[in-house]
Amino acid sequence: MAQLPVPSAVAAVLSDLGSVRIWAADFYRDLHSHPELSHREHATAAKIAARLSASGVEAHTGVGGTGVVGLVRNGEGPVVLLRADMDALPIAEATRLDYASATTVTDEDGPQVGVMHACGHDMHVACLLGAAHLLAASRSSWTGTVVAVFQPAEETGDGARAMIDDGLAGLLPKVDVALAQHVLPAPAGVVGTHAGPTLSAADSLRITVHGRGAHGSMPQASVDPVVLAAMIVVRLQTVVARETRPGEPVVLTVGSLRAGTKSNVIPDHAVIELNVRSYSEQTRVATLDAVRRIVDGECQASGSPSPADYVLFDHFPLTDNDPVTTQRVAAAFTSFFGDRSGPMPAQSASEDFSDIPRSLGVPYCYWGIGGTDPELYRRAEQAGRVAQDIPVNHSALFAPVIQPTLDTGIQAMVVAALAWLAPPPAAGQ
Ligand code: ZN
Ligand code: ZN
């Protein structure tokens, strides 16, 4: 298929990529070696702010804790928000790379754990810093404003919300579109877009059901919360099987069930923790409503002495790419990347990025970039062993190859941003 011509602004902005990729790769390796957990990205944020300043980008720090906002103001024109997340995970790295993390932390009550950039957020940061630098260095090629948001605590699902609650909107001119990307286990060098629901909404629910404790030999004196909780777990299986339209993707998993201390003591309560993944708000609400109805019904059937307690936690919103925005990004990608750009299937993972555009009332697009050595990926594909042999995000072996992942991520951010930014006045005649 013939490629569309690359807009001249894209070529002009990317002309200095050769020098940027050198420091951006060093920056990436440094972040990878020194990961920080959610809400604790202090050194990461300081490095980002210093790099933005060196690139001539106005930097605001301490937004929502450790968040950093870079602003490239360049006259009248569209305002494009680009976002990267920057937190790492409590995983001991097993990649054996020479820049692998040896960082450990000790939680207040827990054992020492390794810390690793196992989700590629270090790559997201390096790509956005590179893109912001290139856009700031070529102001004569475009007009408008680029907002580079470095968000903390994506992994805990509350970093975007923390920035919003801390007044992110007040720092910015009126935003027109928000864009973000994630490195995935696909061949490095490729980019993929998906219109509509792209990442699932996720909700975790902790339910405490109450019974009446008694001696194990005297069940008549008890309301047994172990039997009650067991009934609930079984009955919950009917929510997807019997209440959800066939073909509607929804997952309801009870991941934890705790009750009692001893074989001959009937305890007085049980705790159920479950996780729901859904791709529409309607399904999400219907599923959570069904859970409550079943729990309340089973409690009543058991003669439970008090109503169940519900705590909703680890909520991630649905990532629902705006079709028109996605079409514009996809067209720009096809024009630049040619057959390295294509459709991406919806992912079962979740993200809190969309909290930002939702709070600003603007459309958004979230796309994927490959991070796996293309040759390794090709061999795994030929052997039918992609799932077994290619490390996925959150694996102790997950680390993108630096190139061509870094170039592709920088280019994708620049190309997508320039699909909105206006041409300079002279070029617009
Ligand atoms: Zn992750
Ligand atoms: Zn991630």
Side-chain angles (χ1 to χ4, degrees):
M1 194 182 82
Q3 288 182 24
L4 296 167
V6 173
S8 60
V10 170
V13 173
L14 288 173
S15 62
D16 196 29
L17 178 60
S19 63
V20 167
R21 70 162 66 97
I22 296 168
W23 63 250
D26 286 341
F27 198 98
Y28 168 76
R29 278 187 287 263
D30 178 47
L31 278 194
H32 194 84
S33 301
H34 302 99
E36 294 176 298
L37 291 176
S38 310
H39 297 293
R40 306 186 204 171
E41 309 90 339
H42 299 284
T44 305
K47 290 171 192 171
I48 290 168
R51 182 61 245 179
L52 288 172
S53 298
S55 295
V57 178
E58 174 187 330
H60 300 261
T61 57
V63 184
T66 50
V68 182
V69 178
L71 280 164
V72 187
R73 298 184 201 268
N74 195 22
E76 291 293 307
V79 178
V80 178
L81 185 151
L82 307 173
R83 174 272 204 177
D85 41 11
M86 57 186 193
D87 54 330
L89 286 157
I91 295 173
E93 180 155 0
T95 63
R96 296 170 177 264
L97 290 164
D98 59 6
Y99 52 90
S101 161
T103 304
T104 59
V105 292
T106 310
D107 273 327
E108 287 137 33
D109 46 352
Q112 205 165 52
V113 290
V115 183
M116 176 191 179
H117 268 295
C119 204
H121 298 183
D122 44 356
M123 182 58 76
H124 305 165
V125 169
C127 291
L128 183 50
L129 284 171
H133 176 95
L134 288 168
L135 287 158
S138 55
R139 284 180 159 92
S140 60
S141 298
W142 57 278
T143 57
T145 300
V146 173
V147 180
V149 171
F150 298 87
Q151 182 209 300
E154 184 283 324
E155 296 292 355
T156 50
D158 55 356
R161 177 53 53 193
M163 292 188 83
I164 295 159
D165 292 347
D166 198 24
L168 173 65
L171 289 174
L172 314 178
K174 196 188 160 320
V175 173
D176 291 292
V177 67
L179 307 168
Q181 63 186 358
H182 207 297
V183 59
L184 297 171
V190 307
V191 295
T193 52
H194 186 101
T198 299
L199 305 177
S200 69
D203 294 275
S204 286
L205 197 55
R206 183 178 302 113
I207 305 163
T208 305
V209 294
H210 302 282
R212 188 164 54 244
H215 195 286
S217 68
M218 298 175 222
Q220 75 280 10
S222 79
V223 172
D224 189 341
V226 176
V227 175
L228 167 57
M231 292 296 189
I232 289 170
V233 172
V234 172
R235 184 79 196 241
L236 285 176
Q237 308 309 311
T238 66
V239 175
V240 176
R242 300 288 79 195
E243 297 192 41
T244 309
R245 183 175 60 79
E248 173 75 22
V250 53
V251 182
L252 195 170
T253 293
V254 177
S256 168
L257 173 55
R258 297 188 302 275
T261 53
K262 200 171 184 300
S263 64
N264 66 349
V265 177
I266 298 171
D268 64 0
H269 72 282
V271 180
I272 298 163
E273 287 187 359
L274 59 85
N275 182 259
V276 173
R277 305 264 167 169
S278 55
Y279 291 87
S280 83
E281 184 60 17
Q282 198 183 349
T283 305
R284 172 179 176 264
V285 169
T287 305
L288 292 173
D289 283 354
V291 168
R292 281 185 181 247
R293 192 191 69 241
I294 287 169
V295 172
D296 290 346
E298 290 292 342
C299 286
Q300 196 184 14
S302 297
S304 180
S306 55
D309 301 315
Y310 297 90
V311 178
L312 199 62
F313 65 103
D314 283 0
H315 168 67
F316 288 83
L318 179 70
T319 303
D320 189 2
N321 280 340
D322 175 57
V324 175
T325 304
T326 306
Q327 198 177 29
R328 194 157 163 177
V329 170
F333 282 175
T334 302
S335 166
F336 182 81
F337 292 107
D339 59 10
R340 289 195 288 131
S341 164
M344 173 180 77
Q347 310 283 312
S348 57
S350 306
E351 252 281 357
D352 71 343
F353 156 67
S354 67
D355 277 339
I356 294 174
R358 204 172 286 112
S359 77
L360 298 172
V362 301
Y364 61 89
C365 178
Y366 182 92
W367 65 81
I369 63 171
T372 309
D373 176 355
E375 180 54 27
L376 196 71
Y377 197 92
R378 196 186 58 77
R379 283 206 302 271
E381 218 170 18
Q382 273 179 350
R385 291 187 54 84
V386 169
Q388 295 86 348
D389 293 353
I390 303 298
V392 298
N393 306 65
H394 292 206
S395 150
L397 292 170
F398 182 82
V401 288
I402 296 180
Q403 290 297 4
T405 312
L406 182 63
D407 275 12
T408 306
I410 294 173
Q411 289 163 333
M413 279 286 176
V414 166
V415 166
L418 286 171
W420 271 266
L421 296 167
Q429 301 306 305

